[in-house]
Amino acid sequence: MFHFSFDIIFSELSYVSSIFAILIRIFLQRVYYVKLTSGEIETFANFLKKFGIIPLPIADLKTISTFADADSDPEGYSWIWLDKKLKHFQFEKLRNLFPNVNNLDEKVSIYLLDFVALKLTSLGSKLIFWHENYPDRKIIFISFSFDDLSIPKLPDNCLRLVIPIPGILGFFPFVFKVAFRIFLKIRSLLLFKPKFQEELRSEPHFDWGKYEHAYVTHSGLKYGSLYEKGLYYSEKDSFFEPKNLVHFDYSGYNSPSEVLPWFKLTPAKKLGVKDVVLISLKLVFVLNFLSIKLSSLPLKIQIWILALKFQAHRRDLGHFKELKRAYIDYDIICPKSLILAFESCNILTIGVQERYISAYYKSTSVILDQYLISSNESRLIMESSRNYLFEKSFSVGQYRTDEFFRKFPNISNKDSVGIYNKRILVLGFHCDMTWVESQVNPLLNWQAQEHFLDEIMALASEFKDSLFTLRYKMIDWLELPFFSPIKHRLKEFHNIKISKEYGISFYSYYLVKNSDIVIGKHTSLMDEAISIGKPTLVHDYSHNIKSVICDTFDYFGSRIICRNFDSFKDRFRLLLEDDIDLKREIMEISTKLYGDLSDGKVKERIHSTIKSI
């Protein structure tokens, strides 16, 4: 048997393509994959493991110098690559497909940036991390998707092989399915059957033509089990009454109430054959699909997808003759195709910045007419960034900070301070639920979670007169067998409590409000805590990551960011001792970044600003 000094890394494997991986494994020692796309993931992974084919063990790497390449793209690799590829694109020829959309070149570029940046953060970064630990190994990266030609940054020693079919042996069944679907659509047209999109109208009893305002939701009206989304609602002002807002859903969520106007947007795949063919033919010539430059093909395909989605959204918006405004939930995630469709139909888009830290990201983007931003500082950053395109902006504050000022209902305080001198809220990341996903995730893997809990237990062991309350987005991972020993150890600490209250909306804000110090992983809640001057420390490293958020934004070099356990423990001690200098530094950062906008009146400002537009 021959072995070569190569690491074979597949972007993804299905049942069909895994045959190819198994054959390669016969000749080569190291064969990995990043993602599985067939069946039960763990069952499939265990099958491949028998052949020595395993998930790329990012979690086991010795060191990752910065997590930023998998998150915020601080070096701007995505824009650098995209600018080179778009040099010869003639966006003006696309105007017939996107009527009444201004600055089309900028907006399509921003749309493409989302696609390219995702390729960097989800795939390219993992290969960069691997090369950092094994610089002498050659990487052969194998993909079955044209999309992976758009990874903007790969290690120098990486050879990319793209086999442009969705699976080796699965190619012909794929073609047959597509041809069969086209046949069914043509047949339905010839028989004059109703359009498919009519089947998607979930609430036909509403008079869609009367609504003037829309709320574009993301994944329903709740953020997991943490809180309800009520930013654009008011019990006192009829302008923001839920029944007066038509709710647009693009995430496949059903209406939570029969009386709530809820409209499911039509997916592009439900367009008629005539529309698909006409759009496709136009783009074949406009974008020169016949060019032999394969590296640009994924971008052309993405523009084709954008055009199809845009057309589907325009069709939907035709039901709403009086619609004037759309309020956007989760600014950076709302589909750009929908934003462009709103503009095309002369509907004003208004959004509120969801997370403060996104202002510093080069991997996320926003297109809006009116943007309500969390602070003057982030407003200045985004106004000068290519990633954020808006006509007007207003500094209003971080809207969830209002929760620090409201009175919570009578809550049985399971996290009572008792005999302890200080109440410490510890914010942690959740983690993946399968060992397969954990291994390829640089941040949310089991080893990182274990490392974090070990260090919190070390603090609790030394500072016995403080009560540490652990709070997570979700806590189901704690029941995994891997965490059984840690769970047993945690029970030995009388001054460590795990918050398991997820039935009360915004309960995490109640915990922040009633804590003396907040420590832990960087989250949006951490920024909100800093904005009200809460003594705060960011645990910005893991068992193998030297920097998580610091290379994206280091809070002007503030001691809020802790890069190792020694600094974490020493600064925590200073906060326990009410060190004047450190507390003053935190207050200065709070004032510089967030001003005086965390005053309990953010939602009030947002509503008054919206009404004044």
Side-chain angles (χ1 to χ4, degrees), residues 590-602:
S590 174
T591 302
K592 183 172 183 177
L593 293 181
Y594 314 108
D596 57 356
L597 294 173
S598 296
D599 56 0
K601 300 178 181 179
V602 182

Side-chain angles (χ1 to χ4, degrees), residues 142-160:
I142 301 177
S143 171
F144 301 104
S145 170
F146 266 128
D147 285 357
D148 291 340
L149 287 170
S150 296
I151 301 173
K153 175 69 173 176
L154 291 172
D156 294 334
N157 68 338
C158 178
L159 173 64
R160 171 169 42 192

Side-chain angles (χ1 to χ4, degrees), residues 9 56 58 61 63-66 68-70 73 77 119-121 123-135 139 151-158:
I9 302 176
L56 190 67
I58 298 296
L61 293 178
T63 182
I64 296 174
S65 59
T66 174
D69 285 337
D73 188 15
Y77 295 132
K119 286 298 171 183
L120 172 68
T121 56
L123 274 176
S125 62
K126 293 178 174 62
L127 301 179
I128 292 170
F129 299 156
W130 191 257
H131 173 63
E132 181 180 9
N133 283 264
Y134 303 105
I139 298 173
I151 301 173
K153 175 69 173 176
L154 291 172
D156 294 334
N157 68 338
C158 178

Side-chain angles (χ1 to χ4, degrees), residues 331-512:
D331 50 340
I332 63 176
I333 292 180
C334 185
K336 304 296 190 292
S337 54
L338 182 56
I339 297 294
L340 298 188
F342 281 134
E343 180 182 355
S344 181
C345 296
N346 295 310
I347 298 166
L348 193 74
T349 53
I350 302 172
V352 181
Q353 187 181 357
E354 174 74 16
R355 302 190 177 195
Y356 177 82
I357 197 66
S358 65
Y360 300 92
Y361 275 50
K362 295 181 181 178
S363 58
T364 59
S365 64
V366 168
I367 299 174
L368 288 168
D369 291 314
Q370 311 282 338
Y371 199 17
L372 281 62
I373 298 176
S374 61
S375 77
N376 288 323
E377 176 68 23
S378 55
R379 183 181 178 185
L380 291 173
I381 295 296
M382 288 192 284
E383 283 180 346
S384 62
S385 171
R386 295 179 64 188
N387 293 53
Y388 300 90
L389 190 61
F390 43 85
E391 293 296 323
K392 292 184 180 179
S393 62
F394 309 86
S395 298
V396 294
Q398 298 174 95
Y399 63 91
R400 287 191 295 270
T401 57
D402 285 357
E403 301 303 322
F404 295 134
F405 296 87
R406 77 174 174 94
K407 290 184 178 180
F408 281 81
N410 292 330
I411 294 175
S412 175
N413 192 356
K414 300 175 183 178
D415 307 308
S416 174
V417 69
I419 61 173
Y420 301 101
N421 293 329
K422 296 284 187 180
R423 293 166 293 188
I424 316 302
L425 179 62
V426 183
L427 301 178
F429 290 143
H430 65 283
C431 60
D432 291 303
M433 293 298 291
T434 70
W435 68 269
V436 187
E437 295 166 308
S438 170
Q439 279 296 88
V440 299
N441 194 323
L443 191 65
L444 305 181
N445 57 71
W446 296 352
Q447 294 92 318
Q449 188 71 276
E450 181 180 34
H451 171 266
F452 179 64
L453 289 172
D454 281 341
E455 299 208 335
I456 297 303
M457 284 187 277
L459 286 185
S461 178
E462 184 166 345
F463 303 102
K464 292 184 172 63
D465 57 349
S466 294
L467 176 66
F468 295 79
T469 300
L470 289 164
R471 180 67 173 177
Y472 291 86
K473 178 180 177 181
M474 55 190 73
I475 200 65
D476 49 354
W477 53 267
L478 191 58
E479 301 305 318
L480 293 171
F482 177 88
F483 293 105
S484 292
I486 300 170
K487 187 177 178 182
H488 179 74
R489 287 174 57 204
L490 285 169
K491 290 180 179 179
E492 297 175 359
F493 288 84
H494 298 293
N495 61 334
I496 295 181
K497 305 293 181 184
I498 300 175
S499 175
K500 296 183 179 180
E501 176 57 74
Y502 292 94
I504 300 174
S505 190
F506 292 101
Y507 185 71
S508 298
Y509 292 78
Y510 169 82
L511 293 177
V512 171

